[in-house]
Amino acid sequence: MTQTITIKLKLYRPTHEKEKMYQLMTDRVTAFANKYISLEKKDRPKTSKQAKQYSEPLPSAVLTQAIRDINGKKDPKYFKRLWCNFNNQNFKVEKEDGNWKVSFPTLEKRIGVPIETSERQNDCLEKLINGEVKQGTAMLVKRRGRWYIHLSFEVYIEEKKKEKEKIMGIDLGLIDILVAETEGQTLFFSGGKLAYMRRHFKSLRSRLMKARAYKKLKELGDKEHRIATDINHKISRAVIEFAKEQGVAKIRMEDLTGARWEMKQRKKQKQDSGRSLQSWSFYQLQEFIEYKATLTGIEVEYVNKDNTSMICSVCGHKFTSRPKGRMFECPSCGSIRHIDANAARNIAEAISGIAS
Ligand SMILES: [Zn+2]
């Protein structure tokens, strides 16, 4: 894909004679243009040689380009002004002792004219003489009493492929608390430490229950929550870091509707059982991931959790029973996959659909 860019180069201090000549050329080419369109289409000159009889003296290159410019306009009725235009054969850009000069045919002869350039224009002109951009036409234009060259370039623009947005799937579980997967890259959080802590708290809790030490029980519950919350903050932070590193645009997680319901129950009952803590903890982890993702500009979606562990994410084979062990070999395609990474991939693909 090419794009045309025009830079406006100011002619450096042209003499009054030169300015008068530029004006004369402009008046002549404008007069020619109006003469040209007044002719019947069949009678209009096609070459500069034919055009000369309808115009006061002008360089052939200017007349040829004028015919092209006039025909490029849609049914013109009158030209208040037509500027002299030069194609890339007739207009040259040169660099002499670090100064830019342009040259083009005029009424006298081909003249070289110094130009004033900005930093950006220098870059464009460098690209032009290095052949990195293709020169278009150059138009001799008067603006507010000063003469300019409007030089156009054809710049090749690499068409941006619309990047497929990268999606990360997150699977939550007991053995691995969290497995995040995006296009083959995975992040694991083992639940080992947390599982140990839960067992520890559970035995403490049952002892306190037996002793009917309710105040101590409450304190224990609060402590367990603080620890779980702290862990969730750490995990969610790491997940978002990973997502940013991987250039993820969207995170998909399972819709833990049941856990949300339990969360509400827990709030109502102010009760603390091991099971509700765990669901509550997952719910909180998702909440933390969601708000941290949103702050980073990553979108979050929830998917239905059915089947996410029951389908091979490589070939789509449906297992008849949940694969045994942490790693499994797909009986259909032979892929060896980690069970939660497989689920996370299926969540990323939203194989069971987006939760409403
Ligand atoms: Zn498979």
Side-chain angles (χ1 to χ4, degrees):
M1 192 177 81
T2 60
Q3 196 190 323
T4 304
I5 292 174
T6 303
I7 58 171
K8 294 167 185 182
L9 303 165
K10 195 181 194 174
L11 300 186
Y12 181 72
R13 294 187 184 176
T15 61
H16 283 300
E17 285 69 34
K18 289 260 164 47
E19 288 186 322
K20 266 199 229 162
M21 180 178 68
Y22 300 153
Q23 187 60 57
L24 188 59
M25 286 169 72
T26 307
D27 293 344
R28 284 182 182 177
V29 80
T30 305
F32 168 72
N34 284 315
K35 179 79 188 160
Y36 181 90
I37 56 171
S38 72
L39 298 169
E40 289 287 325
K41 276 198 175 140
K42 61 176 175 53
D43 298 329
R44 290 177 183 175
K46 290 182 179 56
T47 64
S48 63
K49 205 176 165 195
Q50 291 168 7
K52 279 186 194 296
Q53 54 180 307
Y54 299 101
S55 171
E56 294 212 50
L58 273 176
S60 305
V62 171
L63 285 171
T64 312
Q65 187 60 39
I67 293 171
R68 238 177 258 150
D69 290 346
I70 298 161
N71 290 326
K73 292 194 184 351
K74 201 190 159 209
D75 196 23
K77 296 277 184 287
Y78 171 72
F79 286 96
K80 191 170 167 241
R81 178 100 67 250
L82 186 74
W83 302 110
C84 291
N85 208 1
F86 308 91
N87 68 16
N88 54 12
Q89 304 296 309
N90 294 292
F91 188 90
K92 294 274 176 288
V93 178
E94 289 158 304
K95 199 178 185 183
E96 242 182 49
D97 306 323
N99 297 312
W100 293 102
K101 270 174 82 174
V102 296
S103 66
F104 50 94
T106 67
L107 296 178
E108 296 165 359
K109 55 181 166 46
R110 189 177 184 87
I111 57 164
V113 183
I115 48 171
E116 292 181 38
T117 56
S118 69
E119 203 67 22
R120 187 186 81 93
Q121 291 176 337
N122 286 341
D123 290 346
C124 286
L125 294 174
E126 287 290 348
K127 283 197 166 71
L128 181 70
I129 58 169
N130 293 336
E132 289 173 52
V133 295
K134 200 173 156 245
Q135 187 183 314
T137 56
M139 200 182 269
L140 181 64
V141 175
K142 189 182 181 182
R143 289 273 181 265
R144 283 182 293 266
R146 291 181 175 266
W147 287 91
Y148 295 83
I149 288 291
H150 288 187
L151 184 60
S152 67
F153 303 97
E154 301 250 307
V155 183
Y156 181 74
I157 309 278
E158 219 176 311
E159 251 169 292
K160 267 195 188 158
K161 287 185 206 112
K162 196 172 183 292
E163 268 180 62
K164 197 174 136 262
E165 68 174 6
K166 215 169 175 181
I167 302 174
M168 185 168 89
I170 293 177
D171 181 70
L172 301 173
L174 285 175
I175 300 167
D176 288 301
I177 300 175
L178 179 144
V179 177
E181 199 272 6
T182 180
E183 293 178 14
Q185 300 296 311
T186 46
L187 177 74
F188 285 88
F189 282 96
S190 157
K193 221 171 115 187
L194 205 64
Y196 167 78
M197 189 191 84
R198 283 218 181 89
R199 280 196 301 276
H200 170 70
F201 276 86
K202 199 181 169 192
S203 70
L204 270 179
R205 198 161 37 235
S206 61
R207 262 189 282 158
L208 292 169
M209 290 276 269
K210 274 176 200 155
R212 296 175 185 246
Y214 296 117
K215 201 178 165 232
K216 283 244 161 85
L217 201 60
K218 168 82 170 62
E219 284 169 9
L220 186 76
D222 290 348
K223 193 180 175 193
E224 198 174 356
H225 271 128
R226 271 201 309 279
I227 294 169
T229 300
D230 187 51
I231 290 171
N232 280 343
H233 269 302
K234 282 185 181 135
I235 295 174
S236 56
R237 218 176 292 139
V239 165
I240 299 305
E241 277 310 306
F242 177 68
K244 280 201 300 200
E245 275 167 32
Q246 297 293 322
V248 166
K250 194 185 275 182
I251 289 173
R252 283 187 179 144
M253 295 186 278
E254 291 167 287
D255 182 24
L256 301 176
T257 311
R260 283 167 195 202
W261 182 81
E262 277 186 63
M263 167 82 168
K264 283 177 199 147
Q265 293 301 301
R266 203 201 138 259
K267 272 184 178 164
K268 255 191 244 165
Q269 297 167 7
K270 295 267 179 198
Q271 220 180 42
D272 205 1
S273 76
R275 168 137 184 85
S276 78
L277 170 73
Q278 195 222 289
S279 307
W280 167 84
S281 169
F282 281 162
Y283 173 79
Q284 186 193 49
L285 180 54
Q286 285 194 337
E287 262 197 333
F288 287 177
I289 290 168
E290 186 174 335
Y291 89 76
K292 282 172 184 152
T294 308
L295 287 175
T296 321
I298 298 171
E299 203 186 326
V300 173
E301 256 176 15
Y302 290 92
V303 305
N304 296 319
K305 60 185 277 185
D306 326 315
N307 301 324
T308 53
S309 303
M310 296 293 284
I311 289 171
C312 170
S313 63
V314 178
C315 71
H317 174 74
K318 246 182 149 164
F319 309 129
T320 46
S321 64
R322 198 182 146 85
K324 300 270 184 295
R326 303 307 293 153
M327 304 296 286
F328 70 87
E329 187 179 344
C330 173
S332 177
C333 71
S335 303
I336 294 166
R337 304 279 288 142
H338 183 280
I339 187 161
D340 294 338
N342 181 68
R345 177 90 295 254
N346 284 333
I347 290 164
E349 306 272 3
I351 55 132
S352 345
I354 306 292
S356 49

